[in-house]
Amino acid sequence: MKAIALQLAGADTSPASIEIDGAQAAVNLGLEVSAFRQLMHDGKVSVLCERGTGEDAGLWRATFYYEGRRFRAVVDGHGHILHATGSASP
């Protein structure tokens, strides 16, 4: 699956965006990849992207929300998932 590009709104320093493997988010939300892509396109999956500061500088936290489900991933600047939590249970 093509990576999902995430951008931090109002970012004033580089990098201002990262890419995360969308298949991992889909599976962890309990969705088929094709359904996840369509829900993303339709704006039914919400995403919160945060950049780490201080000791977490260089890390990003991306949280995907869909119908009471949540998948959160801490990633490095290359989009590699370092830690993930979440449940496919609604």
Side-chain angles (χ1 to χ4, degrees), residues 39-63:
L39 290 165
M40 286 286 296
H41 177 75
D42 295 343
K44 294 184 178 181
V45 173
S46 301
V47 182
L48 173 64
C49 185
E50 304 163 281
R51 182 180 23 223
T53 60
E55 66 183 43
D56 293 323
L59 301 179
W60 297 63
R61 181 170 61 197
T63 308

Side-chain angles (χ1 to χ4, degrees), residues 1-6 18-23 25 36-37 40 64:
M1 173 178 204
K2 184 178 175 184
I4 298 171
L6 301 175
I18 56 169
E19 293 186 354
I20 296 175
D21 181 359
F36 175 75
R37 300 277 302 158
M40 286 286 296
F64 295 82

